[in-house]
Amino acid sequence: DREDLFVEPNGDISLRDRSVSTYTKIPNRIVNAKWVGESAKDELGISSFTHIPVGVNTNKFYPGEKRQSRVRIVSMYRPETPRRGGKRLERIFKDLKSRYGDAISLETFGSRCTFADVDHSKCSQDKVAQIMRSASIVFEPSDFQGFGLPGLEAMASGCALVSTDNLGIHEYGIHSVNCFIANRDKDLFDHICELVDNPELVSRIGE
């Protein structure tokens, strides 16, 4: 998962140098995202890797009834892990609320959130699946992801996904085909607005 690139909230690197140097000596490596293996070859000097993508339990994550009076927009919120994009999420959610008011329901799960309409806080996987089944749009705000499972769970749930270009998204996401991918706040905001304003587009991307 390229843990050597991850930074803890206190600024420390997640992985010790000794662990990074030892990694190259492992004879067999399995990665869940191609970018992880390819970057480890280029940057760490590993010789090879086997790529086995992550899967989603479709007995839990599957589409549900989404016809509701308010458009439900859901995102994971984990501010204690800076790369998860908590500040970006807060900025975009506030702009969405300013534009649409009570026509939308902004919802989060993960850590306690004070700026969402509905704070589901820490949830079991079953609860996350239930939330996504009835949501219309899922927003993935992370700076980068090893794989990015919430985005794939959103797709399995029939949601329209808007994601940052976080590397992991390219394991399963194709921009304008099965999700929207962008990096600038304005572009992410515009894609979400495009979906809120066009229910038929939500259905097409969700399918």
Side-chain angles (χ1 to χ4, degrees):
D1 212 13
R2 288 309 304 270
E3 293 283 344
D4 58 307
L5 300 177
F6 299 164
V7 178
E8 300 295 331
N10 64 4
D12 290 343
I13 301 296
S14 296
L15 209 59
R16 292 175 296 181
D17 290 341
R18 188 177 65 186
S19 299
V20 178
S21 62
T22 302
Y23 184 61
T24 60
K25 298 178 176 66
I26 298 172
N28 303 297
R29 303 167 198 83
I30 297 172
V31 300
N32 64 6
K34 278 186 179 177
W35 84 264
V36 171
E38 289 169 354
S39 66
K41 284 182 77 172
D42 294 340
E43 298 169 18
L44 301 180
I46 68 169
S47 57
S48 63
F49 63 89
T50 299
H51 175 219
I52 303 178
V54 175
V56 169
N57 182 351
T58 53
N59 290 318
K60 287 187 178 183
F61 291 90
Y62 54 86
E65 181 60 58
K66 298 183 184 297
R67 294 193 189 94
Q68 298 185 16
S69 57
R70 300 174 76 196
V71 177
R72 294 181 60 214
I73 305 171
V74 175
S75 182
M76 174 189 277
Y77 179 59
R78 193 188 296 170
E80 61 271 22
T81 307
R83 67 182 175 86
R84 293 290 189 179
K87 291 180 179 178
R88 176 184 292 114
L89 177 66
E90 183 173 5
R91 292 192 301 268
I92 290 176
F93 265 22
K94 285 185 176 178
D95 288 345
L96 287 167
K97 182 53 65 173
S98 177
R99 178 163 179 166
Y100 292 105
D102 292 336
I104 60 174
S105 175
L106 301 173
E107 306 184 19
T108 58
F109 63 91
S111 299
R112 185 177 178 277
C113 181
T114 58
F115 56 83
D117 295 318
V118 180
D119 168 28
H120 296 284
S121 293
K122 188 174 182 179
C123 295
S124 66
Q125 190 180 51
D126 288 335
K127 178 63 176 178
V128 172
Q130 179 185 348
I131 293 166
M132 287 191 177
R133 264 197 296 280
S134 56
S136 294
I137 300 166
V138 170
F139 175 44
E140 168 54 82
S142 297
D143 293 335
F144 68 93
Q145 291 271 29
F147 184 88
L149 195 55
L152 193 60
E153 291 170 343
M155 286 185 176
S157 304
C159 299
L161 173 66
V162 177
S163 174
T164 51
D165 191 352
N166 56 39
L167 298 174
I169 183 65
H170 297 291
E171 292 293 302
Y172 51 83
I174 304 170
H175 177 63
S176 294
V177 176
N178 59 9
C179 65
F180 288 114
I181 302 171
N183 262 342
R184 295 193 310 158
D185 281 13
K186 181 184 185 305
D187 296 332
L188 292 163
F189 175 78
D190 287 347
H191 285 313
I192 296 173
C193 291
E194 186 179 2
L195 289 165
V196 172
D197 295 337
N198 189 347
E200 291 183 1
L201 180 61
V202 172
S203 296
R204 180 177 69 77
I205 294 290
E207 286 178 9

